[in-house]
Amino acid sequence: MIKEQEAGEKTADVCRRHGISSATFYKYKSKYGGMEPSDAKQLRALEDENGKLKKLLAEQMLPFRDIAPRYPIGHETMRCCETSIQKNGDALGKRKAVVHLMEVHQVSHAIARQAIAKQSAERGRACDVLQIDRSTVRYLSRRGDDAELRDAIKRVSRERRRFGCRRVHVMIARDGFEVNHKKVRRIYREEKLQVRRRGGRKRALDARKPMVLPDGPNQRWNLDFVSDALTDGRRFRVLAVVDDFSRENLVLVADTSLSGQRVVRELDRIIAERGMPKTIVSDNGTEFTSMAILKWVQETGVNWHYIASGKPQQNGFIESFNGKLRVECLNETLFGTLGDARETLEDWHEDYNWRRPHSALVNLTPMEFLQRKTMDKMAA
């Protein structure tokens, strides 16, 4: 290649024909320039032989701790074993290190068909090198495979992809499995079902007063909008209404346009079924500050509270609900038409109120929580 380039051929053409980069070519030229091809081949052969000799010398000069000379272990094996123990940090990691040592250097498995006494001696040699108790290597787990429990955990994780380990434990307990949460966590991690949590930006912390929780239904409702898009790119909005006491989702209304008059109609429909709330909380969006809303508030006498501008934490209940709606429904589904979106939201609305446990309600569903409160009130 160097001769061809010196003869007047372009460097790019030489590199293209021989399949190398120009940087590699100039590296070769700086190293082998001025030599005959036979001299260059001899130099490369000497370098390869020198590398092999260095490797053999390293294997002999870097024994793994105090292992016998007949079983020399080099730096790579030492690093692999120590990394296995450090990474796993338990008996499993130590057993892996011992197995690696026996397989690579034929300490035990290479003579597996020989006498049991010799196997024990060679296994003992590997354990002595890694400073591991022999009973740790000989131990065989008696733990069952828990196939039915594993299937239940994987089924819940597939159905509810944004549920973490604790809520999965609640769901399988509702299905009749009496199992400790630590066992569920172990299987959950073995099956690699962890949910990746998105990191948020750091914010300045300040002393905050906890939001006062209502002591009964229909005392305070929360309203907000959530936006999403169809597969063809058209945007639509979802009006969400939540009762702060029971966390019950009162309605999910999806449409391409939701004006203040539409909000009034939906509120009248909910009030006809459930009764009048004492307070309604919302942000300062144009739909909630429209003349239609102000007129409706004046006529009904409902206390409508607007949160401070730029302070969504003052409307924390509906913001929390919006996050669940986003990650468990909207982000998990593709909507072809507005009808598909409405049907999916209706199914999720029913599932949220009747089947999905809520951690703030002692892992009860909103409807179960209401029923229990009603029974307690009647008993009192």
Side-chain angles (χ1 to χ4, degrees):
M1 290 186 292
I2 296 174
K3 294 292 185 182
E4 293 172 355
Q5 193 262 354
E6 290 178 349
E9 191 173 353
K10 292 184 178 180
T11 305
D13 297 337
V14 175
C15 295
R16 188 181 304 108
R17 184 168 60 254
H18 292 280
I20 62 172
S21 65
S22 59
T24 303
F25 173 81
Y26 287 113
K27 179 181 177 182
Y28 288 161
K29 188 173 183 179
S30 64
K31 191 172 184 179
Y32 303 111
M35 292 186 180
E36 294 297 326
S38 58
D39 297 334
K41 290 181 180 179
Q42 186 177 3
L43 178 60
R44 294 196 65 177
L46 290 174
E47 289 177 348
D48 294 340
E49 187 67 23
N50 189 29
K52 293 179 181 179
L53 292 174
K54 286 183 178 180
K55 185 177 181 180
L56 291 174
L57 181 62
E59 291 286 341
Q60 294 292 336
M61 297 298 294
L62 293 175
F64 184 77
R65 296 182 183 168
D66 298 326
I67 197 165
R70 60 181 290 229
Y71 299 114
I73 298 179
H75 180 67
E76 292 298 327
T77 302
M78 176 180 65
R79 184 175 61 181
C80 179
C81 294
E82 291 182 341
T83 302
S84 178
I85 297 175
Q86 182 179 6
K87 181 178 180 181
N88 293 276
D90 54 6
L92 177 61
K94 295 179 181 179
R95 283 198 292 271
K96 288 182 178 180
V98 172
V99 170
H100 174 81
L101 192 60
M102 292 188 295
E103 289 178 351
V104 173
H105 296 276
Q106 292 79 38
V107 176
S108 178
H109 285 329
I111 55 174
R113 298 180 181 179
Q114 296 183 9
I116 298 178
K118 190 170 183 179
Q119 279 188 342
S120 301
E122 299 295 347
R123 185 182 295 111
R125 182 186 297 274
C127 293
D128 292 340
V129 167
L130 297 174
Q131 295 183 358
I132 299 172
D133 193 271
R134 301 183 187 184
S135 61
T136 300
V137 180
R138 291 194 298 266
Y139 174 77
L140 297 177
S141 176
R142 301 177 183 177
R143 179 183 294 160
D145 58 352
D146 300 311
E148 188 177 357
L149 179 59
R150 287 179 184 270
D151 292 340
I153 293 175
K154 289 190 287 187
R155 174 179 55 80
V156 174
S157 299
R158 285 195 302 267
E159 294 175 355
R160 305 176 182 273
R161 296 173 54 185
R162 299 302 302 178
F163 272 22
C165 178
R166 288 182 292 181
R167 189 163 282 126
V168 169
H169 176 240
V170 173
M171 294 299 295
I172 64 173
R174 294 169 69 89
D175 291 340
F177 287 92
E178 296 182 1
V179 58
N180 189 282
H181 68 92
K182 291 181 286 187
K183 186 174 185 178
V184 174
R185 182 176 295 276
R186 173 177 60 81
I187 297 176
Y188 185 82
R189 295 180 64 181
E190 289 176 356
E191 298 295 335
K192 294 180 173 57
L193 301 174
Q194 295 92 329
V195 178
R196 179 174 294 181
R197 180 174 297 178
R198 300 180 180 90
R201 64 182 181 87
K202 294 184 179 180
R203 295 174 174 85
L205 299 179
D206 194 3
R208 299 174 181 170
K209 295 182 180 179
M211 187 177 294
V212 179
L213 184 66
D215 55 3
N218 281 359
Q219 292 192 8
R220 189 173 67 203
W221 294 355
N222 260 287
L223 281 70
D224 201 3
F225 288 105
V226 183
S227 299
D228 203 6
L230 304 176
T231 54
D232 59 3
R234 288 186 299 163
R235 305 291 300 181
F236 68 92
R237 307 180 75 192
V238 180
L239 171 65
V241 184
V242 174
D243 189 308
D244 288 354
F245 173 71
S246 63
R247 309 302 201 278
E248 179 186 359
N249 175 220
L250 305 182
V251 71
L252 288 175
V253 181
D255 210 332
T256 54
S257 177
L258 293 170
S259 62
Q261 294 180 350
R262 179 68 180 276
V263 173
V264 168
R265 291 201 303 269
E266 295 298 334
L267 289 176
D268 288 336
R269 184 172 62 84
I270 301 173
I271 291 173
E273 298 175 358
R274 301 177 55 91
M276 186 74 68
K278 293 183 179 179
T279 304
I280 294 179
V281 182
S282 74
D283 56 20
N284 296 273
T286 55
E287 297 85 0
F288 300 137
T289 57
S290 63
M291 293 299 297
I293 293 293
L294 297 178
K295 181 180 178 181
W296 182 83
V297 169
Q298 187 177 7
E299 292 175 352
T300 58
V302 174
N303 178 25
W304 194 293
H305 175 72
Y306 294 100
I307 64 173
S309 180
K311 300 289 185 180
Q313 64 271 19
Q314 296 182 3
N315 205 8
F317 291 101
I318 194 65
E319 294 294 341
S320 175
F321 174 82
N322 291 345
K324 297 178 178 65
L325 174 63
R326 174 73 64 186
V327 300
E328 296 178 15
C329 180
L330 299 181
N331 288 354
E332 298 294 316
T333 312
L334 292 176
F335 306 113
T337 63
L338 192 59
D340 294 340
R342 289 169 176 169
E343 183 178 355
T344 302
L345 289 172
E346 182 64 27
D347 294 340
W348 190 86
H349 164 80
E350 182 179 357
D351 178 78
Y352 179 87
N353 287 335
W354 291 92
R355 290 184 292 274
R356 184 191 184 281
H358 203 297
S359 58
L361 305 179
V362 201
N363 290 323
L364 297 175
T365 66
M367 303 310 297
E368 290 174 346
F369 180 76
L370 278 177
Q371 293 171 2
R372 178 171 296 187
K373 288 296 181 180
T374 303
M375 294 177 61
D376 293 344
K377 187 176 181 179
M378 292 176 60

